[in-house]
Amino acid sequence: MTPRLGIRNNASNFFMLVFTNLFVGSMVGMERTILPLIGEQEFGLASTSAALSFIVSFGFSKAIVNYFAGRLAEQFGRKKVLLAGWGFGFIVPLLVIAAHEWWVIIVANLFLGINQALTWSMTVNMKIDLVKSNERGFAIGLNEAAGYLGLSAAAAMTGYIASVSSLRPEPFLWGLGFALVGFLLSLTVNSTEKHLTLQNVTKSAQSEYSSTIIMKLVTWKERTLSSCSISGLATNFKDGVAWGLFPLFLLDKGLTVGEIGVIVAAYPISWGTFQLLTGALSDKWGRKPLIVAGMTLQGLGLLSFAFSHSYTSWLLDAIVIGLGTAMVYPTLQATVSDVADPSWRASAMGVYRFWRDSGYAFGALFAGFVADMIDSKAAIAILSLLPLAAGVVSFYRMKESLKK
């Protein structure tokens, strides 16, 4: 059968990929609430920098593998790379359960970064392959929504399990189930390479772009692509701090593990849910307004979180930060897809995701340093300036990429 573009024409494959990404996100969610607490309570890590080292290993491994994932997909095919990613996923919960020293947790998160880079990158790229250009925002929003709703549900669930049992091993047994279901679902999806031939792949010099040229374009030479990289890095820089510091900050404020789990889960729930709307809105309103507004909202939400004093206010702040993230997360990827030619789009997305996900590591390094030197409140407050600055950069440098 001749392939056709569009969500409706590829509904079964498209929605199977959406469902698969639910379990991709769950792999991160299983440790979102718990690992900072394990570092402090089980391994006695007094230094915040040491406690957040697992995010550094996750962030750098995910960023580096993201860079190569696009090229691997173009060489070996999307589905093979997706299945390989799940192979690394099985290792993660086993290492966390068996860990007798903190360095084992760090190694586990190296594997988690590889798992996320390969699986999440492929679900995004395969959906973009399937859809029309005016459906990209909605498609990516749906993909990201599924992933982060899976993340938030797993974070809340494992936080509850830990509160009624123990920090290990019970919460991480679920990770083995997430990896198995994700692998089995991935076996059922169809490869999407044939759909690329329908997307006006050029035969110009652009088709021969090298990895070096694409890196330069996405990093600084092309104004819109490089603005996406800056905003993406700032967004996940913030997320690295939120992942590592929010549980410790709230624990110091006297909240219980169960209460912390609700707040930590509320942020990605908001992030995931609102992406169902924001991705589609970017297909109608344009990419740039949502990116500028979303970066600004993230910064203001973080500033409020740092200076709030009650469970309710922290919960509301987490929701606001999630909304701001939802406004930019699918929209930035849709923008990269708009600008990059289909012949090198997967590679461009890989470079963008390299910079975006390196933010996890840089954010954790920043959070640990400032929290050790001053306190976690100062780290969160100072961090709020970065997404605000990225919003200003996007306002002045970015061009609207949506062709209406």
Side-chain angles (χ1 to χ4, degrees):
M1 182 180 295
T2 303
R4 294 186 295 170
L5 297 180
I7 294 175
R8 182 173 295 179
N9 294 325
N10 300 279
S12 61
N13 207 31
F14 180 88
F15 286 103
M16 185 61 72
L17 286 164
V18 172
F19 192 45
T20 300
N21 211 47
L22 182 76
F23 293 92
V24 176
S26 298
M27 292 296 294
V28 180
M30 70 175 174
E31 62 175 47
R32 189 89 179 193
T33 303
I34 302 171
L35 273 196
L37 305 180
I38 288 177
E40 186 175 90
Q41 297 180 15
E42 291 194 10
F43 291 94
L45 300 178
S47 165
T48 304
S49 295
L52 302 191
S53 55
F54 76 94
I55 303 176
V56 177
S57 67
F58 168 81
F60 280 137
S61 70
K62 186 168 188 266
I64 292 168
V65 177
N66 271 335
Y67 175 72
F68 293 104
R71 286 292 183 187
L72 290 172
E74 289 162 352
Q75 183 174 356
F76 297 106
R78 271 71 157 149
K79 183 172 179 177
K80 290 180 181 178
V81 176
L82 176 62
L83 291 170
W86 285 115
F88 289 99
F90 284 104
I91 302 172
V92 179
L94 294 174
L95 285 177
V96 174
I97 290 170
H100 61 289
E101 293 185 19
W102 186 245
W103 67 264
V104 180
I105 300 291
I106 295 174
V107 172
N109 277 267
L110 286 171
F111 285 110
L112 181 63
I114 297 170
N115 159 259
Q116 293 294 294
L118 297 180
T119 54
W120 209 310
S121 292
M122 291 310 103
T123 59
V124 169
N125 279 303
M126 292 173 82
K127 288 184 184 68
I128 295 171
D129 293 343
L130 294 172
V131 304
K132 300 173 183 176
S133 60
N134 62 354
E135 296 175 328
R136 287 174 186 157
F138 174 72
I140 298 172
L142 197 58
N143 185 77
E144 301 300 296
Y148 283 95
L149 286 172
L151 185 155
S152 58
M157 181 183 70
T158 55
Y160 171 76
I161 292 170
S163 69
V164 298
S165 56
S166 61
L167 294 175
R168 290 191 298 168
E170 292 86 353
F172 296 95
L173 294 174
W174 286 87
L176 293 171
F178 297 150
L180 178 60
V181 174
F183 179 80
L184 294 175
L185 289 173
S186 298
L187 285 173
T188 69
V189 302
N190 298 318
S191 283
T192 59
E193 281 77 8
K194 291 182 179 179
H195 293 77
L196 284 175
T197 63
L198 306 177
Q199 296 194 14
N200 300 316
V201 179
T202 65
K203 299 301 181 182
S204 66
Q206 282 194 357
S207 302
E208 304 301 322
Y209 276 173
S210 67
S211 298
T212 302
I213 292 174
I214 296 169
M215 171 62 85
K216 290 178 179 178
L217 286 170
V218 181
T219 303
W220 76 83
K221 288 189 71 173
E222 210 289 325
R223 292 170 65 91
T224 299
L225 290 175
S226 59
S227 297
C228 288
S229 295
I230 292 168
S231 290
L233 190 150
T235 294
N236 276 6
F237 192 105
K238 171 256 332 179
D239 196 40
V241 174
W243 183 355
L245 277 194
F246 281 11
L248 300 178
F249 173 77
L250 297 171
L251 189 66
D252 288 341
K253 296 297 183 179
L255 271 62
T256 67
V257 173
E259 290 172 329
I260 293 171
V262 172
I263 294 174
V264 168
Y267 157 52
I269 286 174
S270 170
W271 178 353
T273 303
F274 283 118
Q275 284 180 109
L276 293 169
L277 176 65
T278 57
L281 286 177
S282 79
D283 290 330
K284 296 182 178 181
W285 294 354
R287 318 296 193 201
K288 182 175 176 176
L290 285 170
I291 292 169
V292 173
M295 296 309 299
T296 303
L297 197 60
Q298 287 179 68
L300 296 176
L302 283 165
L303 193 63
S304 178
F305 193 97
F307 292 97
S308 292
H309 297 285
S310 69
Y311 173 82
T312 301
S313 58
W314 284 314
L315 184 60
L316 291 174
D317 291 333
I319 293 171
V320 168
I321 297 168
L323 172 59
T325 309
M327 293 169 74
V328 306
Y329 223 72
T331 313
L332 289 168
Q333 294 182 88
T335 303
V336 174
S337 301
D338 293 339
V339 176
D341 186 83
S343 62
W344 51 275
R345 186 174 60 209
S347 292
M349 191 71 77
V351 176
Y352 161 73
R353 290 169 69 88
F354 166 81
W355 288 117
R356 188 195 69 184
D357 291 336
S358 66
Y360 283 120
F362 292 126
L365 289 169
F366 166 86
F369 176 77
V370 176
D372 286 337
M373 294 296 293
I374 310 175
D375 58 26
S376 55
K377 176 180 179 179
I380 296 169
I382 296 171
L383 165 67
S384 67
L385 300 176
L386 184 59
L388 291 171
V392 173
V393 170
S394 293
F395 181 79
Y396 285 105
R397 292 193 81 239
M398 180 177 284
K399 297 179 181 179
E400 178 55 57
S401 65
L402 179 66
K403 296 178 176 61
K404 297 183 179 180

